[in-house]
Amino acid sequence: MPTNFTVVPVEARADGEQDEAAEITEAPGPAEGREPDCSSPAGDGHSRESSPIIDNGETERESFFEGRSMALFEEEMDSNPMVSSLLNKLANYTNLSQGVVEHEEAEESRRREVKSPGMGTFIGVYLPCLQNILGVILFLRLTWIVGVAGVLESFLIVFMCCTCTMLTAISMSAIATNGVVPAGGSYYMISRSLGPEFGGAVGLCFYLGTTFAGAMYILGTIEIFLTYISPGAAIIHAASADGEAVAMLHNMRVYGTCTLALMATVVFVGVKYVNKLALVFLACVVLSILAIYAGVIKTAFDPPDIPVCLLGNRTLSRRSFDVCAKVHTTSNGTRTTMLWGLFCNGSADATNCDDYFAQNNLTEIQGIPGVASGVLLDNLWSAYTDKGVFVEKKGTPSVPAPEESRASGLPYVLTDIMTYFTMLVGIYFPSVTGIMAGSNRSGDLRDAQKSIPTGTILAIVTTSFIYLSCIVLFGACIEGVILRDKFGEALQGNLVIGMLAWPSPWVIVIGSFFSTCGAGLQSLTGAPRLLQAIARDGIVPFLQVFGHGKANGEPTWALLLTALICEIGILIASLDSVAPILSMFFLMCYMFVNLACAVQTLLRTPNWRPRFKYYHWTLSFLGMSLCLALMFVCSWYYALCAMLIASCIYKYIEYRGAEKEWGDGIRGLSLNAARYALLRVEQGAPHTKNWRPQVLVMLNLDAEQCVKHPRLLSFTTQLKAGKGLTIVGSVLEGTYLDKHTEAQLAEENIRSLMSAEKSKGFCQLVVSSNLRDGMSHLIQSAGLGGMKHNTVLVAWPESWKEEDNPSSWRNFVDTVRDTTAAQQALLVAKNVDLFPQNQERFSDGNIDVWWIVHDGGLLMLLPFLLRQHKVWRKCRMRIFTVAQVDDNSIQMKKDLQTFLYHLRISAEVEVVEMGESDISAFTYEKTLLMEQRSQMVKQMQLSKTEREREAQLIHDRNTASHSVVAARTQAPPTPDKVQMTWTKEKLIAEKYKNKDVGISGFKDLFSLKPNQSNVRRMHTAVKLNGVVLNKSQDAQLVLLNMPGPPRNRQGDENYMEFLEVLTEGLHRVLLVRGSGREVVTIYS
């Protein structure tokens, strides 16, 4: 079988015929000197354009000829790929597409990047989560929390926080396994599940939480350094004992700023150094945990000798003395100790000593008595105190001083802050906030759908066990006063948890120092990348500058902003004050992860198919509720501030951000809610109190599919003020197959105009064989269920008098009849191009209502609705009604004022008397001209028909003549077989006959007498127009009752003339025709 082919083109022969088959010959290569012709007709009769695929080699040729077996689908292959090529692409699929263009950009960037080998569950998820969860709070604050809250309440705090993170991890696992999770972690999951608004708001909150976490880790690093490693390194020193706390805060600010600058420089120079040190920092954490457990085991049989000095029941700080005694005996006698000098101002006389010191004895107790000592029972209960209170041992006898003097300089251990349960929750929660570390690395995992759930849940189980066991073990091993001693002052300034560890306290001190350094570096590495991901999504316009970075993709600008925000946390300088702030942001992020899972589960969207099966919407709802509760438990004002920030970001993205369609759950929730609401509305017509104009706006389009009267949409916006239903409809004449491109263009133009006019509603465009049927279809079928229009707004056909456009007024009158039959209100805007735009403001003027007949109160309601908009707000409302001869105009005015009072509508009332009068010659003449014009149009239409008939006769004559000539030239004469339909005499007679009929018809126009019914109607229109012009010529808007069309269709053109006369000379007119039902009520 040949493997190479040459396609020989078909040459046109000299006689105009072509070869019936193309010659296919075996050749070693392409034909020389001849180009293959690829434009020969294909089997379907369509010319196939030449394609480079055919000439690209053997593989391309084979795929081309193989594709011919699918010739039935060849027209679809341009837009719909074959299954084989689709599966080939999916096999190499690494990133979830965000749309065609975004996916291509992501693919290009992915090809340029050098990818490292994917990490597994242990290295990629478990260890990073372990390192982030076990951090600064464990080493610096957990013992203090156990001492203050007691073992039971501490256990409750840790259990609540761990339960919250476990439920969040379950929800996160379900979301992470519902498809491919690219780099972006929690932000990606929330934004694609709850939409760009929630995603951007929560993503920025998560970014702020991560940034403040970096500040907290840096403050923890500095606290370890200045308190436990090198206390002499302090730059700022206190002048007195009272100023030590303030001096410490200043030192934290100075050292913290320097450390932040150093860490930011390291991150800027290269993240690879941070990643290389990650294992070192993790080893420090693991060794520190093992040292704690080893020390606990050692206390069971060999408790360490760590004496604690008590004065009465008060704990003393051993930073400034060495011997816990008032005097000590030497060979030369008794001498006072350093402690005596502190309490007695350096005097040997006991009368100068502090009263409490003189009346109470000094005792020493073991600070870490061990597991078997039974101290657990003493540490079960809480010991909350105010700020500046003595740390006292329960059950120890003490003689209170009559007037306590808390003079500065006395070596007591005092509480530095006020403590209570909710405050401890806020301080502790950051210690469990590392559960997103694995999902944030989802782009680097070998199998994210398997690794994220397994690694995260195992890490939470492990750390929860460590925290809960440490609470019990700390309460069982360490004395209560030592647990409540936050900075280890009773232990000569040593770290409390370090004194428990084995083999040396320095294992914990050095390990905790490096682990907090590593956590700070990780935060400064992760936060800028999260901000960069948000910026590159384009949902927050003012953040787009932070999407740029160095040539290798490092987020330089995002790192700078992160460092500035982190500096704010460092300037706060207190670890206990920063911790609740980042707790708020993390809790909000976790709450929305649970919400995303619950929404997706309850909606049961077809795309919700997680591989992780151990989830339920009740667990997600419980996790969301627990997160919300913990936010307000930690700090209600911080919670409100965090929610306010998130709400502001949400609204900003909603109004100014880029529109993204990510198939989010909120959109699905909106669809479900809309379906439920529509079914409820379908149950019955709305009550009069709930009635509002649901408007169908009928727009006319020009040849370029642009809107002819855009101010009609402006008026709709002013009338609706953003409330109720608005359907903007239009009709294209033709068939949908021929006009679908124009229909799409027209719909885009209408939507852009709606956006410019800020008109919130729906666009519905219909392609129909004629405009009349299209408008009728819209009036009948626009809307859905109970959300259907009850009012139609159209523009007055200004060109109805033009002879070449008779369909305009016919369509208009038929539209009036259709709305009446459908029991819908009709609003006709005359001189609509003079109506105000939304940017205009009327500083003065009137809205005049001419209430001729009762239409259900729509005439009263429309001005009230218009005056809610800024354009018409300063206009006054005036209501005119017409009194006949037999009417009592004074009583009518009183009744109308009472009616308006009960309707709660403020308006001026005036009754215009319009008595009977003789029909004027002007009215008679105008009616006569109207009827003459009508008859003339009919005669012109008849003459047009006759002219068409005459042309047809001439055409028939010529056809017959040509047939006779052809017959004479091709055959012998056969006159008996030729019968001409028309002779010359007949043609001339018919022509003069038609002329006589036309002349006589036009002569009859001048002998017409007007119809008396038309005269009466014209009389009413003329007279009413004069009254309206007299009162309302300067009004900003005039609303008039619109009379109905005649029952006899022969008078449709006269009806248009009546309306024209009725509104002649008025500036802006709105003709109103009610639907036949009451739309206002006097009842509440």
Side-chain angles (χ1 to χ4, degrees), residues 744-758:
Q744 292 177 356
L745 176 61
E747 192 166 346
E748 290 177 2
N749 292 337
I750 292 174
R751 290 187 187 279
S752 63
L753 180 62
M754 292 173 65
S755 177
E757 297 292 343
K758 297 181 180 179

Side-chain angles (χ1 to χ4, degrees), residues 641-833:
C641 290
M643 295 174 80
L644 179 63
I645 292 173
S647 301
C648 292
I649 298 171
Y650 178 95
K651 299 304 291 184
Y652 177 81
I653 296 174
E654 185 179 22
Y655 286 106
R656 297 293 302 276
E659 293 184 1
K660 299 286 183 179
E661 178 51 62
W662 288 331
D664 52 89
I666 293 298
R667 185 173 178 84
L669 187 63
S670 301
L671 291 174
N672 266 18
R675 170 184 165 274
Y676 174 77
L678 283 173
L679 291 175
R680 289 291 302 273
V681 173
E682 183 73 11
Q683 293 178 359
H687 192 272
T688 304
K689 291 184 289 186
N690 296 325
W691 194 95
R692 65 170 62 247
Q694 318 279 16
V695 181
L696 169 63
V697 189
M698 306 291 279
L699 295 180
N700 296 324
L701 304 175
D702 56 17
E704 286 77 23
Q705 312 306 332
C706 295
V707 178
K708 285 185 179 179
H709 304 292
R711 298 207 179 187
L712 195 64
L713 207 53
S714 304
F715 181 72
T716 307
T717 305
Q718 297 157 21
L719 180 64
K720 302 295 294 180
K723 302 294 188 298
L725 174 70
T726 301
I727 302 175
V728 182
S730 188
V731 180
L732 282 183
E733 197 168 2
T735 61
Y736 185 71
L737 289 179
D738 298 332
K739 294 285 187 178
H740 67 276
T741 305
E742 290 88 341
Q744 292 177 356
L745 176 61
E747 192 166 346
E748 290 177 2
N749 292 337
I750 292 174
R751 290 187 187 279
S752 63
L753 180 62
M754 292 173 65
S755 177
E757 297 292 343
K758 297 181 180 179
S759 179
K760 297 181 179 179
F762 307 98
C763 177
Q764 191 161 349
L765 193 136
V766 172
V767 180
S768 180
S769 58
N770 57 74
L771 296 177
R772 166 73 188 88
D773 291 343
M775 296 176 73
S776 179
H777 293 159
L778 277 176
I779 292 172
Q780 294 177 63
S781 60
L784 179 64
M787 290 296 288
K788 293 180 69 69
H789 62 280
N790 54 29
T791 305
V792 179
L793 175 61
V794 296
W796 173 261
E798 303 289 348
S799 61
W800 73 272
K801 287 187 177 182
E802 296 179 4
E803 297 176 356
D804 58 346
N805 191 18
S807 61
S808 63
W809 61 266
R810 288 198 180 96
N811 291 338
F812 176 79
V813 178
D814 287 339
T815 301
V816 177
R817 288 195 173 97
D818 286 344
T819 55
T820 304
Q823 295 183 343
Q824 296 172 2
L826 177 65
L827 308 179
V828 181
K830 195 165 185 284
N831 301 327
V832 67
D833 293 329

